[in-house]
Amino acid sequence: MPYLEDEEANDPDAALREIRQWYAANDPMFRFAGGRMLRSVFPTCTEEPAVTAARFPSDGDADDMTFLLEMLENYRGEAPLHIVAKAIVKMLPEDDKRLTSVEILLENTGVVTGEFGMVEAMRERKALMAA
């Protein structure tokens, strides 16, 4: 399996292009391999990788959008993902099934703790969506 060179670890565009080469449509294990690789290189989704990812499916390529959605599921709905989600939603028709994946991407919280952990997580998500 190819690996990310050191210089690609600092370049979200190069990392995204490299991992895109690994993607095969309908591969149920991709998010655990390619998606986790990106998360290992960029542990948090900052604005720079998010903007790069939002530009990625510029021609509306269906496989590119599906690739992004599967890969970004590993980021637990972090705020910069909203940039990518907005870009994908703009390109998809209203009845596209991938809109459900966008919703899951934004609602993903990871592990919550405490009696009101989920409530607090949903309040944070609501505040992010308001912006």
Side-chain angles (χ1 to χ4, degrees):
M1 179 181 272
Y3 59 93
L4 293 173
E5 299 291 337
D6 290 337
E7 63 269 7
E8 291 170 329
N10 296 317
D11 182 0
D13 190 48
L16 201 58
R17 282 193 317 268
E18 178 68 34
I19 294 172
R20 176 62 176 97
Q21 293 176 12
W22 305 353
Y23 180 72
N26 301 319
D27 177 3
M29 298 303 292
F30 174 74
R31 73 173 251 206
F32 302 108
R36 292 293 295 166
M37 174 59 80
L38 189 70
R39 174 107 187 199
S40 296
V41 174
F42 297 101
T44 58
C45 184
T46 61
E47 192 167 328
E48 184 183 4
V51 168
T52 299
R55 287 192 314 253
F56 192 74
S58 60
D59 61 356
D61 182 87
D63 278 347
D64 283 351
M65 282 190 260
T66 304
F67 157 74
L68 279 177
L69 288 168
E70 289 181 17
M71 184 184 57
L72 296 174
E73 281 181 20
N74 291 294
Y75 280 102
R76 310 286 186 229
E78 296 173 19
L81 289 178
H82 290 244
I83 297 167
V84 182
K86 288 176 187 178
I88 291 174
V89 167
K90 285 179 186 177
M91 288 185 238
L92 294 175
E94 262 184 56
D95 59 343
D96 196 293
K97 293 178 182 179
R98 287 171 293 186
L99 290 172
T100 302
S101 296
V102 174
E103 184 178 346
I104 291 168
L105 174 71
L106 295 175
E107 289 179 350
N108 193 350
T109 61
V111 176
V112 293
T113 59
E115 188 174 356
F116 299 103
M118 186 56 81
V119 172
E120 291 170 12
M122 288 299 116
R123 284 185 180 150
E124 288 175 16
R125 294 289 179 258
K126 184 177 178 183
L128 284 173
M129 295 297 228

